[in-house]
Amino acid sequence: MTADLQLTDEQIETILEDMVEVHGYDFTHYSRASLKRRIIRLVSLDKFLSFAEFRFKVRQDPSYLNRFVEQVTVNVTEMFRDETFYRTLREDVLPVLATWPLIRIWHAGCSTGEEVYSMAILLQEANLLHKSLLYATDINPAVLEQVRSGVFPLHQMKQYSDNYIRSGGRKDFSMYYTAQYDAAKFDERLGKRIILATHNLVSDRSFNEFQLILCRNVMIYFDKELQDRALKLFDDSLEALGFLALGSKETLKFSTVTGNYRQIENKEKIWRKIK
Amino acid sequence: MNPKYEVLAIGGSAGSLSMLLTLLPHLVPTLNIALVVVLHRKDSEDNTLVDVLRHRTMFAVKEAEDKETIETNTIYVAPTDYHLLVEKDHSFSLDNSEKVNYSRPSIDVTFESLADVYGPTVVGLLLSGANADGVDGLKAIKKAGGGIVVQDPAASVVPYMPQQALNALPADMLLHEHSLERFIQYLADKSQ
Ligand SMILES: C[S@@+](CC[C@H](N)C(=O)[O-])C[C@H]1O[C@@H](n2cnc3c(N)ncnc32)[C@H](O)[C@@H]1O
């Protein structure tokens, strides 16, 4: 898809500055290449004829702010994405978490909640859900509404069921939802332990202490400086001996907190806080 | 004088691997070029491509990592299931947004991003395939003043993709087994 209206790098910067100045959302430390592509895509989707028109909308129309945040961030997600990752959670991480009286988990950048529901299923099967709290946060309020509904597209269930089985699930995956037309409504018991809040990793602070923090496929959209800020925030929010889980192409290696962590043995992107 | 080529961007889909394997041994370090390879794979979990390529070249071969800086005499392979983009400081960014042309990684996404950053110093090479991914990417490279090379459809296992490219824009040269030396010369003329 080639957009009709191309924006220059300067125009992209102008829009990002407007977002800070007018709305208090700071995207200036996001990876430019991806961000530029998303903004040009938005301009094309919404059929703006000129940069001036787009800029006016961004600055003047308060309802367009949500649209901008929704479209410029990437929300693609899946249940039980990366089978070996979920297998490791099930086999190596949950047994350790089980020894805490109350388990607090933070899904930072949870998107529409597929990852959170996958975790709830793991906890349920380990008989730990009743003593767990899953904090699911995202910058985008619209995706949190979807998490709240517990409803996912039915046509995805075949793939999620395959992912679930390959990650070591032994149950019939369809027992976790009821099909209603083209939607799969997940068991309300899974949703009960999920707490939702908007939280911006750019500007918001630590709000609790956790034994497990997951932030997967969020920091690839940040530049190094913002990645480091987010990792410090997670470090401040993680209990001693807690776990930090990142996406399959993300790492703690280059951050300033790396010395406090040891990667788990099978080299999945999960680190344990040792200091 | 034209600026030299710094990056050779290669995109391919069905039937493209054999041409790539034939080409690699001909690339020599004196070209001072970096390769960015985006191949569609049937199995999105298949990470063996790096090993396959490694045995055919004197260049270093690795999967492109997020925030890694592009260096010459290195072949970077786009990982499965992520789009591969390039920043102004010549480092990679990964992106798992929606598929483009039913593909992730998408050749268009990487080519367009390289065109934006490298302009006239990137040359795009589109190989065999059954999909039109890469055509818009080549257009972007052309517009930025870069070079365009397309595998000869007649010499492609699946001619659709290179043919789509040729229908859309003229190529500087066609690549087939017997034009490899000329292709290396074409790169060399622009990379000294
Ligand atoms: C690609 S999704 C990842 C979903 C899930 N963690 C996974 O790996 O499947 C990225 C999410 O990060 C969110 N995000 C982007 N910038 C953020 C920020 N500054 N603070 C919090 N969340 C952010 C986006 O809204 C989006 O929902």
Side-chain angles (χ1 to χ4, degrees):
Chain A
M1 179 191 68
T2 325
D4 311 327
L5 180 65
Q6 289 295 327
L7 301 187
T8 65
D9 293 339
E10 292 70 41
Q11 289 169 334
I12 300 281
E13 296 312 312
T14 304
I15 290 294
L16 298 184
E17 281 157 26
D18 287 348
M19 285 300 293
V20 178
E21 184 198 308
V22 184
H23 303 294
Y25 276 87
D26 187 355
F27 292 101
T28 59
H29 285 282
Y30 280 50
S31 302
R32 274 305 181 284
S34 172
L35 196 58
K36 183 174 177 187
R37 207 181 139 247
R38 301 296 293 179
I39 292 176
I40 288 174
R41 175 178 169 275
L42 175 64
V43 164
S44 156
L45 283 175
D46 292 352
K47 304 192 170 62
F48 288 103
L49 294 178
S50 68
F51 172 69
E53 186 187 330
F54 177 54
R55 185 174 182 204
F56 188 80
K57 189 88 173 169
V58 166
R59 289 185 66 100
Q60 301 298 332
D61 183 348
S63 70
Y64 198 69
L65 170 65
N66 282 342
R67 168 112 184 125
F68 185 94
V69 173
E70 278 161 35
Q71 293 301 318
V72 163
T73 56
V74 171
N75 302 319
V76 175
T77 182
E78 261 176 47
M79 282 189 175
F80 293 97
R81 175 190 221 164
D82 304 331
E83 58 214 54
T84 54
F85 172 79
Y86 279 96
R87 186 184 286 278
T88 305
L89 282 183
R90 188 194 286 277
E91 293 174 1
D92 301 330
V93 177
L94 292 198
V96 179
L97 295 185
T99 59
W100 268 285
L102 174 65
I103 304 170
R104 283 203 202 85
I105 300 176
W106 179 15
H107 295 264
C110 64
S111 189
T112 40
E114 282 77 346
E115 182 186 277
V116 192
Y117 271 81
S118 304
M119 180 64 82
I121 288 170
L122 288 185
L123 290 164
Q124 167 95 326
E125 293 185 359
N127 203 14
L128 296 172
L129 187 59
H130 64 281
K131 64 162 182 171
S132 303
L133 287 172
L134 295 92
Y135 291 77
T137 67
D138 202 281
I139 188 180
N140 175 0
V143 290
L144 295 178
E145 280 315 307
Q146 287 223 46
V147 188
R148 196 185 311 280
S149 74
V151 173
F152 301 97
L154 188 63
H155 69 91
Q156 300 274 30
M157 291 305 134
K158 167 80 181 73
Q159 195 206 328
Y160 293 173
S161 170
D162 290 350
N163 290 358
Y164 164 80
I165 300 289
R166 275 187 276 126
S167 72
R170 299 238 168 85
K171 301 241 154 87
D172 176 359
F173 189 67
S174 67
M175 68 180 247
Y176 288 115
Y177 62 86
T178 44
Q180 301 170 344
Y181 303 99
D182 53 357
K185 168 97 179 89
F186 273 68
D187 189 337
E188 276 175 14
R189 276 171 295 183
L190 294 172
K192 266 216 187 108
R193 312 296 292 172
I194 300 175
I195 297 165
L196 299 167
T198 54
H199 183 278
N200 186 344
L201 292 168
V202 175
S203 48
D204 291 334
R205 294 180 198 203
S206 172
F207 58 96
N208 212 328
E209 283 232 311
F210 303 91
Q211 289 99 31
L212 169 61
I213 298 176
L214 298 94
C215 184
R216 311 190 69 221
N217 298 304
V218 180
M219 286 190 296
I220 45 173
Y221 300 101
F222 295 173
D223 70 9
K224 279 191 179 145
E225 199 181 320
L226 183 55
Q227 285 182 348
D228 211 44
R229 184 199 189 269
L231 287 169
K232 281 205 195 94
L233 176 66
F234 297 144
D235 191 46
D236 288 341
S237 312
L238 201 58
E239 270 186 25
L241 299 177
F243 296 89
L244 175 59
L246 306 180
S248 62
K249 304 297 174 198
E250 292 162 333
T251 182
L252 207 70
K253 225 177 1 193
F254 309 113
S255 100
T256 47
V257 302
T258 185
N260 302 346
Y261 291 83
R262 194 181 61 220
Q263 190 169 10
I264 67 166
E265 266 162 33
N266 68 2
K267 297 289 171 219
E268 284 298 322
K269 295 301 175 76
I270 303 176
W271 282 262
R272 187 131 199 227
K273 186 170 179 176
I274 50 172
K275 272 185 212 156
Chain B
M1 202 193 83
N2 286 327
K4 72 181 215 73
Y5 286 143
E6 294 177 63
V7 174
L8 168 59
I10 302 180
S13 192
S16 62
L17 187 61
S18 63
M19 188 65 212
L20 182 59
L21 293 180
T22 313
L23 165 65
L24 287 188
H26 292 264
L27 294 169
V28 285
T30 48
L31 290 172
N32 266 316
I33 206 167
L35 267 71
V36 178
V37 176
V38 182
L39 285 202
H40 298 160
R41 272 90 112 196
K42 276 208 194 83
D43 177 1
S44 72
E45 314 254 299
D46 185 3
N47 292 313
T48 55
L49 185 59
V50 167
D51 292 327
V52 173
L53 302 185
R54 202 169 266 154
H55 294 284
R56 296 282 185 146
T57 172
M58 19 189 167
F59 284 37
V61 184
K62 64 188 305 296
E63 189 177 281
E65 287 179 55
D66 189 46
K67 307 289 178 282
E68 174 175 23
T69 303
I70 299 181
E71 289 181 16
T72 56
N73 298 336
T74 308
I75 300 175
Y76 298 94
V77 176
T80 56
D81 224 19
Y82 287 82
H83 294 304
L84 180 65
L85 296 106
V86 183
E87 302 290 337
K88 295 276 147 116
D89 67 359
H90 296 186
S91 67
F92 288 116
S93 281
L94 295 175
D95 172 319
N96 71 342
S97 58
E98 299 79 2
K99 292 183 177 181
V100 174
N101 305 316
Y102 311 100
S103 311
R104 192 174 50 216
S106 146
I107 303 167
D108 278 343
V109 170
T110 302
F111 279 18
E112 284 169 4
S113 182
L114 281 166
D116 196 22
V117 170
Y118 282 89
T121 69
V122 62
V123 49
L125 166 60
L126 196 63
L127 302 175
S128 165
N131 167 312
D133 192 23
V135 176
D136 283 343
L138 284 183
K139 285 188 203 158
I141 291 175
K142 182 95 205 159
K143 208 172 147 200
I148 305 294
V149 179
V150 174
Q151 184 172 2
D152 186 345
S156 300
V157 182
V158 185
Y160 184 81
M161 198 155 88
Q163 189 58 56
Q164 288 297 306
L166 294 175
N167 294 349
L169 76 172
D172 300 345
M173 71 169 285
L174 293 183
L175 187 71
H176 49 80
E177 275 170 52
H178 307 294
S179 66
L180 287 171
E181 262 99 57
R182 204 150 59 75
F183 177 57
I184 301 303
Q185 195 55 49
Y186 163 85
L187 293 177
D189 286 348
K190 280 262 229 145
S191 37
Q192 305 299 293

